[in-house]
Short mmCIF file of all heavy atoms in Angstrom, two decimals:
data_model
loop_
_atom_site.label_atom_id
_atom_site.label_comp_id
_atom_site.label_asym_id
_atom_site.label_seq_id
_atom_site.Cartn_x
_atom_site.Cartn_y
_atom_site.Cartn_z
N MET Z 1 -27.61 -23.55 21.95
CA MET Z 1 -28.05 -23.83 20.59
C MET Z 1 -27.01 -23.22 19.65
O MET Z 1 -26.62 -22.10 19.78
CB MET Z 1 -29.38 -23.19 20.41
CG MET Z 1 -29.85 -23.34 19.02
SD MET Z 1 -31.47 -22.67 18.75
CE MET Z 1 -32.33 -24.12 18.32
N VAL Z 2 -26.56 -24.04 18.70
CA VAL Z 2 -25.62 -23.63 17.70
C VAL Z 2 -26.32 -23.14 16.47
O VAL Z 2 -27.21 -23.86 15.91
CB VAL Z 2 -24.66 -24.74 17.34
CG1 VAL Z 2 -23.70 -24.31 16.30
CG2 VAL Z 2 -23.92 -25.21 18.63
N THR Z 3 -26.05 -21.93 16.03
CA THR Z 3 -26.69 -21.35 14.86
C THR Z 3 -25.53 -20.94 13.89
O THR Z 3 -24.40 -20.67 14.29
CB THR Z 3 -27.62 -20.22 15.10
OG1 THR Z 3 -26.83 -19.14 15.70
CG2 THR Z 3 -28.74 -20.60 15.99
N GLY Z 4 -25.81 -20.88 12.59
CA GLY Z 4 -24.80 -20.42 11.67
C GLY Z 4 -24.45 -21.52 10.69
O GLY Z 4 -25.19 -22.54 10.52
N SER Z 5 -23.36 -21.34 10.00
CA SER Z 5 -23.00 -22.24 8.95
C SER Z 5 -21.71 -23.02 9.38
O SER Z 5 -20.81 -22.44 10.01
CB SER Z 5 -22.70 -21.43 7.68
OG SER Z 5 -22.18 -22.25 6.71
N LEU Z 6 -21.74 -24.26 9.06
CA LEU Z 6 -20.57 -25.09 9.28
C LEU Z 6 -19.42 -24.79 8.38
O LEU Z 6 -18.25 -25.14 8.64
CB LEU Z 6 -20.88 -26.54 9.24
CG LEU Z 6 -21.76 -27.12 10.41
CD1 LEU Z 6 -22.07 -28.62 10.09
CD2 LEU Z 6 -21.11 -26.87 11.67
N ASN Z 7 -19.66 -24.04 7.31
CA ASN Z 7 -18.53 -23.62 6.41
C ASN Z 7 -17.56 -22.75 7.08
O ASN Z 7 -16.39 -22.79 6.74
CB ASN Z 7 -19.19 -22.87 5.18
CG ASN Z 7 -20.03 -23.81 4.32
OD1 ASN Z 7 -19.83 -25.04 4.34
ND2 ASN Z 7 -20.88 -23.21 3.53
N VAL Z 8 -17.97 -22.01 8.05
CA VAL Z 8 -17.08 -21.10 8.79
C VAL Z 8 -16.09 -21.92 9.58
O VAL Z 8 -14.89 -21.68 9.59
CB VAL Z 8 -17.86 -20.09 9.62
CG1 VAL Z 8 -16.89 -19.30 10.46
CG2 VAL Z 8 -18.76 -19.21 8.81
N ILE Z 9 -16.63 -22.94 10.17
CA ILE Z 9 -15.74 -23.84 10.94
C ILE Z 9 -14.82 -24.59 10.03
O ILE Z 9 -13.63 -24.75 10.39
CB ILE Z 9 -16.63 -24.76 11.81
CG1 ILE Z 9 -17.37 -24.00 12.85
CG2 ILE Z 9 -15.68 -25.83 12.54
CD1 ILE Z 9 -18.41 -24.82 13.66
N GLY Z 10 -15.38 -25.02 8.89
CA GLY Z 10 -14.56 -25.78 7.98
C GLY Z 10 -13.43 -24.91 7.41
O GLY Z 10 -12.26 -25.40 7.28
N TYR Z 11 -13.71 -23.64 7.10
CA TYR Z 11 -12.68 -22.79 6.60
C TYR Z 11 -11.61 -22.46 7.69
O TYR Z 11 -10.43 -22.30 7.42
CB TYR Z 11 -13.14 -21.48 6.02
CG TYR Z 11 -12.07 -20.58 5.56
CD1 TYR Z 11 -11.30 -20.98 4.47
CD2 TYR Z 11 -11.79 -19.41 6.23
CE1 TYR Z 11 -10.23 -20.16 4.02
CE2 TYR Z 11 -10.75 -18.59 5.79
CZ TYR Z 11 -9.96 -19.00 4.69
OH TYR Z 11 -8.94 -18.25 4.26
N GLY Z 12 -12.05 -22.29 8.88
CA GLY Z 12 -11.16 -22.02 9.95
C GLY Z 12 -10.17 -23.17 10.16
O GLY Z 12 -8.97 -22.96 10.37
N ILE Z 13 -10.65 -24.39 9.97
CA ILE Z 13 -9.67 -25.55 10.11
C ILE Z 13 -8.85 -25.61 8.82
O ILE Z 13 -7.64 -25.97 8.98
CB ILE Z 13 -10.53 -26.84 10.28
CG1 ILE Z 13 -11.25 -26.87 11.69
CG2 ILE Z 13 -9.63 -28.08 10.16
CD1 ILE Z 13 -12.21 -27.94 11.87
N ALA Z 14 -9.42 -25.31 7.69
CA ALA Z 14 -8.63 -25.37 6.47
C ALA Z 14 -7.58 -24.24 6.35
O ALA Z 14 -6.60 -24.46 5.61
CB ALA Z 14 -9.61 -25.26 5.31
N ALA Z 15 -7.73 -23.23 7.11
CA ALA Z 15 -6.80 -22.15 7.10
C ALA Z 15 -5.50 -22.47 7.88
O ALA Z 15 -4.50 -21.80 7.69
CB ALA Z 15 -7.38 -20.84 7.67
N LEU Z 16 -5.57 -23.54 8.65
CA LEU Z 16 -4.38 -23.95 9.39
C LEU Z 16 -3.31 -24.49 8.41
O LEU Z 16 -2.15 -24.21 8.66
CB LEU Z 16 -4.73 -25.04 10.36
CG LEU Z 16 -5.61 -24.66 11.56
CD1 LEU Z 16 -5.96 -25.80 12.42
CD2 LEU Z 16 -4.98 -23.59 12.40
N GLY Z 17 -3.70 -25.18 7.42
CA GLY Z 17 -2.69 -25.70 6.43
C GLY Z 17 -1.94 -24.67 5.75
O GLY Z 17 -0.69 -24.72 5.80
N PRO Z 18 -2.51 -23.66 5.12
CA PRO Z 18 -1.72 -22.57 4.53
C PRO Z 18 -0.92 -21.76 5.54
O PRO Z 18 0.16 -21.31 5.27
CB PRO Z 18 -2.75 -21.67 3.83
CG PRO Z 18 -3.92 -22.62 3.56
CD PRO Z 18 -3.92 -23.60 4.73
N GLY Z 19 -1.46 -21.65 6.75
CA GLY Z 19 -0.65 -20.91 7.77
C GLY Z 19 0.62 -21.66 8.15
O GLY Z 19 1.69 -21.05 8.17
N ILE Z 20 0.51 -23.03 8.25
CA ILE Z 20 1.75 -23.78 8.46
C ILE Z 20 2.63 -23.80 7.30
O ILE Z 20 3.81 -23.71 7.36
CB ILE Z 20 1.31 -25.22 8.93
CG1 ILE Z 20 0.64 -25.21 10.25
CG2 ILE Z 20 2.54 -26.08 8.87
CD1 ILE Z 20 -0.01 -26.50 10.57
N GLY Z 21 2.08 -23.83 6.04
CA GLY Z 21 2.81 -23.82 4.81
C GLY Z 21 3.63 -22.55 4.63
O GLY Z 21 4.77 -22.60 4.24
N VAL Z 22 3.03 -21.40 4.94
CA VAL Z 22 3.75 -20.14 4.82
C VAL Z 22 4.87 -20.10 5.81
O VAL Z 22 6.06 -19.68 5.49
CB VAL Z 22 2.82 -18.95 5.08
CG1 VAL Z 22 3.53 -17.65 5.24
CG2 VAL Z 22 1.82 -18.79 3.91
N GLY Z 23 4.64 -20.61 6.99
CA GLY Z 23 5.75 -20.64 7.98
C GLY Z 23 6.88 -21.55 7.52
O GLY Z 23 8.09 -21.17 7.69
N LEU Z 24 6.61 -22.66 6.90
CA LEU Z 24 7.67 -23.55 6.43
C LEU Z 24 8.42 -22.96 5.23
O LEU Z 24 9.61 -23.13 5.13
CB LEU Z 24 7.02 -24.86 6.03
CG LEU Z 24 6.55 -25.77 7.16
CD1 LEU Z 24 5.84 -27.07 6.65
CD2 LEU Z 24 7.68 -26.10 8.12
N VAL Z 25 7.70 -22.27 4.37
CA VAL Z 25 8.38 -21.65 3.21
C VAL Z 25 9.36 -20.64 3.69
O VAL Z 25 10.50 -20.56 3.24
CB VAL Z 25 7.34 -21.07 2.24
CG1 VAL Z 25 7.96 -20.10 1.23
CG2 VAL Z 25 6.53 -22.14 1.54
N PHE Z 26 8.91 -19.71 4.56
CA PHE Z 26 9.85 -18.64 5.02
C PHE Z 26 10.92 -19.21 5.86
O PHE Z 26 12.06 -18.73 5.85
CB PHE Z 26 9.09 -17.55 5.73
CG PHE Z 26 8.37 -16.65 4.78
CD1 PHE Z 26 7.01 -16.76 4.64
CD2 PHE Z 26 9.05 -15.66 4.14
CE1 PHE Z 26 6.33 -15.91 3.74
CE2 PHE Z 26 8.38 -14.82 3.18
CZ PHE Z 26 7.04 -14.98 3.07
N ALA Z 27 10.69 -20.27 6.65
CA ALA Z 27 11.74 -20.89 7.49
C ALA Z 27 12.78 -21.51 6.57
O ALA Z 27 13.97 -21.38 6.86
CB ALA Z 27 11.13 -21.90 8.41
N ALA Z 28 12.38 -22.13 5.49
CA ALA Z 28 13.35 -22.76 4.57
C ALA Z 28 14.17 -21.68 3.88
O ALA Z 28 15.40 -21.84 3.68
CB ALA Z 28 12.59 -23.62 3.57
N TYR Z 29 13.55 -20.52 3.52
CA TYR Z 29 14.29 -19.45 2.91
C TYR Z 29 15.35 -18.89 3.89
O TYR Z 29 16.45 -18.61 3.49
CB TYR Z 29 13.35 -18.34 2.43
CG TYR Z 29 14.10 -17.12 1.96
CD1 TYR Z 29 14.85 -17.18 0.76
CD2 TYR Z 29 14.09 -15.93 2.70
CE1 TYR Z 29 15.50 -16.04 0.34
CE2 TYR Z 29 14.85 -14.87 2.33
CZ TYR Z 29 15.51 -14.91 1.10
OH TYR Z 29 16.23 -13.78 0.72
N ILE Z 30 14.92 -18.63 5.12
CA ILE Z 30 15.87 -18.12 6.07
C ILE Z 30 17.03 -19.06 6.34
O ILE Z 30 18.18 -18.62 6.42
CB ILE Z 30 15.11 -17.82 7.39
CG1 ILE Z 30 14.19 -16.58 7.16
CG2 ILE Z 30 16.14 -17.44 8.46
CD1 ILE Z 30 13.18 -16.37 8.27
N GLN Z 31 16.74 -20.33 6.42
CA GLN Z 31 17.79 -21.29 6.65
C GLN Z 31 18.72 -21.35 5.46
O GLN Z 31 19.94 -21.46 5.59
CB GLN Z 31 17.14 -22.70 6.95
CG GLN Z 31 18.21 -23.72 7.34
CD GLN Z 31 17.55 -25.01 7.70
OE1 GLN Z 31 16.37 -25.28 7.44
NE2 GLN Z 31 18.29 -25.87 8.39
N ALA Z 32 18.19 -21.40 4.23
CA ALA Z 32 19.06 -21.48 3.05
C ALA Z 32 19.88 -20.17 2.93
O ALA Z 32 21.12 -20.29 2.59
CB ALA Z 32 18.19 -21.65 1.78
N THR Z 33 19.34 -19.06 3.24
CA THR Z 33 20.14 -17.83 3.12
C THR Z 33 21.22 -17.74 4.21
O THR Z 33 22.28 -17.26 3.98
CB THR Z 33 19.17 -16.58 3.29
OG1 THR Z 33 18.21 -16.70 2.22
CG2 THR Z 33 19.97 -15.29 3.07
N ALA Z 34 20.89 -18.30 5.39
CA ALA Z 34 21.91 -18.32 6.46
C ALA Z 34 23.08 -19.29 6.17
O ALA Z 34 24.18 -18.99 6.46
CB ALA Z 34 21.23 -18.70 7.83
N ARG Z 35 22.77 -20.38 5.47
CA ARG Z 35 23.79 -21.31 5.07
C ARG Z 35 24.68 -20.90 3.96
O ARG Z 35 25.89 -21.05 4.01
CB ARG Z 35 23.18 -22.68 4.78
CG ARG Z 35 22.65 -23.42 5.95
CD ARG Z 35 22.01 -24.73 5.54
NE ARG Z 35 21.42 -25.38 6.68
CZ ARG Z 35 21.93 -26.47 7.22
NH1 ARG Z 35 23.05 -26.99 6.80
NH2 ARG Z 35 21.37 -27.04 8.29
N GLN Z 36 24.04 -20.27 2.98
CA GLN Z 36 24.75 -19.70 1.79
C GLN Z 36 24.24 -18.40 1.35
O GLN Z 36 23.24 -18.34 0.59
CB GLN Z 36 24.68 -20.73 0.60
CG GLN Z 36 25.42 -21.99 0.80
CD GLN Z 36 25.43 -22.81 -0.47
OE1 GLN Z 36 24.63 -22.70 -1.33
NE2 GLN Z 36 26.54 -23.65 -0.63
N PRO Z 37 24.76 -17.30 1.94
CA PRO Z 37 24.25 -15.95 1.64
C PRO Z 37 24.33 -15.60 0.16
O PRO Z 37 23.52 -14.82 -0.33
CB PRO Z 37 25.08 -15.09 2.50
CG PRO Z 37 25.71 -15.95 3.59
CD PRO Z 37 25.83 -17.34 2.96
N GLU Z 38 25.29 -16.14 -0.57
CA GLU Z 38 25.40 -15.78 -1.99
C GLU Z 38 24.25 -16.28 -2.81
O GLU Z 38 24.10 -15.88 -3.99
CB GLU Z 38 26.77 -16.24 -2.54
CG GLU Z 38 26.95 -17.68 -2.56
CD GLU Z 38 27.52 -18.35 -1.28
OE1 GLU Z 38 27.71 -17.58 -0.33
OE2 GLU Z 38 27.74 -19.55 -1.28
N SER Z 39 23.49 -17.28 -2.33
CA SER Z 39 22.35 -17.78 -3.13
C SER Z 39 21.06 -17.19 -2.74
O SER Z 39 20.00 -17.73 -3.10
CB SER Z 39 22.32 -19.36 -2.90
OG SER Z 39 21.82 -19.55 -1.60
N ALA Z 40 21.07 -16.03 -2.02
CA ALA Z 40 19.87 -15.44 -1.60
C ALA Z 40 18.94 -14.97 -2.71
O ALA Z 40 17.71 -15.08 -2.70
CB ALA Z 40 20.13 -14.24 -0.69
N GLY Z 41 19.58 -14.51 -3.82
CA GLY Z 41 18.75 -13.99 -4.98
C GLY Z 41 18.03 -15.12 -5.64
O GLY Z 41 16.81 -15.02 -6.00
N LEU Z 42 18.62 -16.30 -5.81
CA LEU Z 42 18.01 -17.47 -6.41
C LEU Z 42 16.89 -17.99 -5.51
O LEU Z 42 15.78 -18.32 -5.96
CB LEU Z 42 18.99 -18.55 -6.78
CG LEU Z 42 18.44 -19.78 -7.37
CD1 LEU Z 42 17.87 -19.47 -8.79
CD2 LEU Z 42 19.52 -20.81 -7.51
N THR Z 43 17.13 -18.14 -4.22
CA THR Z 43 16.19 -18.71 -3.29
C THR Z 43 15.05 -17.78 -3.00
O THR Z 43 13.99 -18.24 -2.74
CB THR Z 43 16.85 -19.19 -2.01
OG1 THR Z 43 17.53 -18.09 -1.45
CG2 THR Z 43 17.83 -20.34 -2.23
N ARG Z 44 15.30 -16.48 -3.21
CA ARG Z 44 14.21 -15.56 -3.05
C ARG Z 44 13.07 -15.79 -4.03
O ARG Z 44 11.85 -15.71 -3.70
CB ARG Z 44 14.66 -14.12 -3.06
CG ARG Z 44 13.65 -13.11 -2.78
CD ARG Z 44 14.26 -11.69 -2.69
NE ARG Z 44 15.35 -11.53 -1.81
CZ ARG Z 44 16.56 -11.16 -2.18
NH1 ARG Z 44 16.80 -10.83 -3.45
NH2 ARG Z 44 17.56 -11.09 -1.27
N THR Z 45 13.47 -16.11 -5.29
CA THR Z 45 12.48 -16.31 -6.29
C THR Z 45 11.65 -17.56 -5.91
O THR Z 45 10.41 -17.52 -6.04
CB THR Z 45 13.20 -16.57 -7.64
OG1 THR Z 45 14.01 -15.46 -7.94
CG2 THR Z 45 12.22 -16.78 -8.75
N TYR Z 46 12.25 -18.63 -5.51
CA TYR Z 46 11.52 -19.79 -5.10
C TYR Z 46 10.69 -19.55 -3.88
O TYR Z 46 9.60 -20.13 -3.73
CB TYR Z 46 12.50 -20.95 -4.88
CG TYR Z 46 13.19 -21.42 -6.10
CD1 TYR Z 46 14.64 -21.58 -6.08
CD2 TYR Z 46 12.52 -21.66 -7.24
CE1 TYR Z 46 15.25 -22.02 -7.26
CE2 TYR Z 46 13.12 -22.13 -8.38
CZ TYR Z 46 14.51 -22.27 -8.37
OH TYR Z 46 15.13 -22.70 -9.54
N MET Z 47 11.12 -18.66 -2.94
CA MET Z 47 10.30 -18.34 -1.80
C MET Z 47 9.01 -17.69 -2.24
O MET Z 47 7.89 -18.07 -1.75
CB MET Z 47 11.08 -17.43 -0.84
CG MET Z 47 10.28 -17.04 0.32
SD MET Z 47 10.95 -15.61 1.24
CE MET Z 47 10.83 -14.28 0.09
N PHE Z 48 9.06 -16.67 -3.13
CA PHE Z 48 7.88 -16.09 -3.60
C PHE Z 48 6.94 -16.94 -4.37
O PHE Z 48 5.69 -16.83 -4.25
CB PHE Z 48 8.19 -14.79 -4.38
CG PHE Z 48 8.67 -13.66 -3.50
CD1 PHE Z 48 9.92 -13.01 -3.83
CD2 PHE Z 48 7.91 -13.20 -2.44
CE1 PHE Z 48 10.32 -11.96 -3.05
CE2 PHE Z 48 8.38 -12.16 -1.69
CZ PHE Z 48 9.57 -11.56 -1.98
N MET Z 49 7.54 -17.89 -5.14
CA MET Z 49 6.68 -18.80 -5.87
C MET Z 49 5.93 -19.77 -4.91
O MET Z 49 4.73 -20.05 -4.99
CB MET Z 49 7.51 -19.60 -6.80
CG MET Z 49 7.91 -18.81 -8.07
SD MET Z 49 9.03 -19.64 -9.18
CE MET Z 49 8.60 -21.31 -9.17
N GLY Z 50 6.62 -20.25 -3.87
CA GLY Z 50 6.02 -21.12 -2.90
C GLY Z 50 5.01 -20.37 -2.04
O GLY Z 50 3.89 -20.97 -1.80
N PHE Z 51 5.29 -19.16 -1.72
CA PHE Z 51 4.27 -18.37 -0.98
C PHE Z 51 3.05 -18.09 -1.77
O PHE Z 51 1.93 -18.21 -1.31
CB PHE Z 51 4.95 -16.97 -0.62
CG PHE Z 51 3.97 -16.05 0.13
CD1 PHE Z 51 3.61 -16.31 1.40
CD2 PHE Z 51 3.52 -14.98 -0.57
CE1 PHE Z 51 2.79 -15.48 2.06
CE2 PHE Z 51 2.63 -14.09 0.09
CZ PHE Z 51 2.25 -14.26 1.39
N ALA Z 52 3.20 -17.86 -3.09
CA ALA Z 52 1.98 -17.59 -3.95
C ALA Z 52 1.15 -18.86 -4.09
O ALA Z 52 -0.05 -18.77 -4.05
CB ALA Z 52 2.47 -17.19 -5.35
N VAL Z 53 1.78 -20.08 -4.19
CA VAL Z 53 1.01 -21.28 -4.32
C VAL Z 53 0.30 -21.57 -2.99
O VAL Z 53 -0.92 -21.97 -3.04
CB VAL Z 53 1.94 -22.46 -4.70
CG1 VAL Z 53 1.28 -23.80 -4.54
CG2 VAL Z 53 2.52 -22.32 -6.08
N VAL Z 54 0.92 -21.41 -1.92
CA VAL Z 54 0.22 -21.66 -0.60
C VAL Z 54 -0.90 -20.69 -0.42
O VAL Z 54 -2.00 -21.03 0.06
CB VAL Z 54 1.28 -21.53 0.54
CG1 VAL Z 54 0.61 -21.58 1.89
CG2 VAL Z 54 2.25 -22.71 0.52
N GLU Z 55 -0.72 -19.41 -0.69
CA GLU Z 55 -1.79 -18.42 -0.52
C GLU Z 55 -2.88 -18.70 -1.55
O GLU Z 55 -4.05 -18.36 -1.20
CB GLU Z 55 -1.24 -17.03 -0.71
CG GLU Z 55 -0.49 -16.53 0.51
CD GLU Z 55 -1.32 -16.59 1.77
OE1 GLU Z 55 -2.45 -16.10 1.77
OE2 GLU Z 55 -0.85 -16.98 2.82
N ALA Z 56 -2.62 -19.14 -2.69
CA ALA Z 56 -3.68 -19.51 -3.66
C ALA Z 56 -4.61 -20.59 -3.06
O ALA Z 56 -5.83 -20.57 -3.27
CB ALA Z 56 -3.09 -19.95 -4.97
N LEU Z 57 -3.98 -21.57 -2.40
CA LEU Z 57 -4.79 -22.61 -1.78
C LEU Z 57 -5.72 -22.06 -0.70
O LEU Z 57 -6.84 -22.45 -0.53
CB LEU Z 57 -3.87 -23.70 -1.18
CG LEU Z 57 -3.12 -24.56 -2.25
CD1 LEU Z 57 -2.24 -25.48 -1.54
CD2 LEU Z 57 -4.22 -25.34 -3.09
N ALA Z 58 -5.18 -21.06 0.10
CA ALA Z 58 -6.00 -20.45 1.16
C ALA Z 58 -7.14 -19.69 0.54
O ALA Z 58 -8.28 -19.72 1.08
CB ALA Z 58 -5.08 -19.50 1.98
N LEU Z 59 -6.84 -18.99 -0.58
CA LEU Z 59 -7.95 -18.20 -1.23
C LEU Z 59 -9.00 -19.12 -1.80
O LEU Z 59 -10.19 -18.88 -1.85
CB LEU Z 59 -7.35 -17.27 -2.24
CG LEU Z 59 -6.61 -16.10 -1.70
CD1 LEU Z 59 -5.99 -15.30 -2.82
CD2 LEU Z 59 -7.51 -15.19 -0.87
N LEU Z 60 -8.55 -20.25 -2.33
CA LEU Z 60 -9.47 -21.25 -2.92
C LEU Z 60 -10.43 -21.77 -1.84
O LEU Z 60 -11.59 -21.92 -2.04
CB LEU Z 60 -8.67 -22.35 -3.55
CG LEU Z 60 -9.52 -23.47 -4.21
CD1 LEU Z 60 -10.27 -22.90 -5.39
CD2 LEU Z 60 -8.61 -24.59 -4.59
N GLY Z 61 -9.87 -22.06 -0.64
CA GLY Z 61 -10.65 -22.47 0.49
C GLY Z 61 -11.72 -21.43 0.94
O GLY Z 61 -12.85 -21.72 1.24
N LEU Z 62 -11.23 -20.13 0.88
CA LEU Z 62 -12.20 -19.09 1.24
C LEU Z 62 -13.32 -18.90 0.19
O LEU Z 62 -14.48 -18.75 0.56
CB LEU Z 62 -11.40 -17.71 1.32
CG LEU Z 62 -12.23 -16.52 1.67
CD1 LEU Z 62 -12.76 -16.61 3.09
CD2 LEU Z 62 -11.43 -15.26 1.54
N VAL Z 63 -12.97 -19.03 -1.07
CA VAL Z 63 -14.02 -19.00 -2.12
C VAL Z 63 -15.01 -20.12 -1.98
O VAL Z 63 -16.23 -19.97 -2.07
CB VAL Z 63 -13.36 -18.91 -3.48
CG1 VAL Z 63 -14.40 -19.10 -4.54
CG2 VAL Z 63 -12.61 -17.60 -3.65
N LEU Z 64 -14.47 -21.36 -1.68
CA LEU Z 64 -15.36 -22.48 -1.56
C LEU Z 64 -16.27 -22.37 -0.29
O LEU Z 64 -17.42 -22.82 -0.34
CB LEU Z 64 -14.55 -23.76 -1.47
CG LEU Z 64 -13.98 -24.21 -2.81
CD1 LEU Z 64 -13.08 -25.49 -2.62
CD2 LEU Z 64 -15.10 -24.49 -3.85
N ALA Z 65 -15.73 -21.76 0.79
CA ALA Z 65 -16.57 -21.56 1.94
C ALA Z 65 -17.78 -20.67 1.60
O ALA Z 65 -18.86 -20.88 2.11
CB ALA Z 65 -15.76 -20.95 3.09
N PHE Z 66 -17.53 -19.58 0.79
CA PHE Z 66 -18.71 -18.80 0.43
C PHE Z 66 -19.57 -19.41 -0.63
O PHE Z 66 -20.82 -19.19 -0.65
CB PHE Z 66 -18.20 -17.43 -0.03
CG PHE Z 66 -17.76 -16.50 1.05
CD1 PHE Z 66 -16.45 -16.08 1.12
CD2 PHE Z 66 -18.65 -16.08 1.96
CE1 PHE Z 66 -16.07 -15.21 2.13
CE2 PHE Z 66 -18.27 -15.23 3.00
CZ PHE Z 66 -16.97 -14.80 3.08
N ALA Z 67 -19.00 -20.17 -1.52
CA ALA Z 67 -19.81 -20.75 -2.63
C ALA Z 67 -20.72 -21.88 -2.13
O ALA Z 67 -21.77 -22.07 -2.68
CB ALA Z 67 -18.81 -21.29 -3.69
N LEU Z 68 -20.33 -22.54 -1.11
CA LEU Z 68 -21.08 -23.69 -0.62
C LEU Z 68 -22.08 -23.28 0.47
O LEU Z 68 -22.82 -24.15 0.91
CB LEU Z 68 -20.17 -24.80 -0.15
CG LEU Z 68 -19.28 -25.43 -1.13
CD1 LEU Z 68 -18.34 -26.45 -0.47
CD2 LEU Z 68 -20.02 -26.02 -2.25
N SER Z 69 -22.06 -22.04 0.88
CA SER Z 69 -23.05 -21.68 1.89
C SER Z 69 -24.36 -21.26 1.36
O SER Z 69 -24.68 -21.11 0.26
CB SER Z 69 -22.44 -20.54 2.74
OG SER Z 69 -22.23 -19.36 1.93
#
């Protein structure tokens, strides 16, 4: 017998997207820095902006999981 809320399962699946997104953001930063080390300062700013957007989506999913339960 399954008991509990389906919101937990939904958030677990929804957390995969931001997890993959964070991996892609950091992989792109590492690759850009490896190709042109002198542009590390400029690309670091874009890395943090991308990371913040992806994490905001993850937090939005967490809030919705609690709000809809």
Side-chain angles (χ1 to χ4, degrees):
M1 174 178 244
V2 178
T3 60
S5 176
L6 289 178
N7 292 338
V8 175
I9 295 171
Y11 178 68
I13 294 171
L16 291 175
I20 293 169
V22 167
L24 290 175
V25 166
F26 282 104
Y29 171 72
I30 290 170
Q31 186 176 16
T33 304
R35 288 178 183 253
Q36 289 188 335
E38 64 272 4
S39 71
L42 179 65
T43 55
R44 186 177 303 122
T45 304
Y46 293 131
M47 176 195 65
F48 284 127
M49 286 174 36
F51 176 74
V53 169
V54 170
E55 284 299 315
L57 291 174
L59 290 174
L60 182 65
L62 180 64
V63 167
L64 285 176
F66 283 118
L68 297 177
S69 62

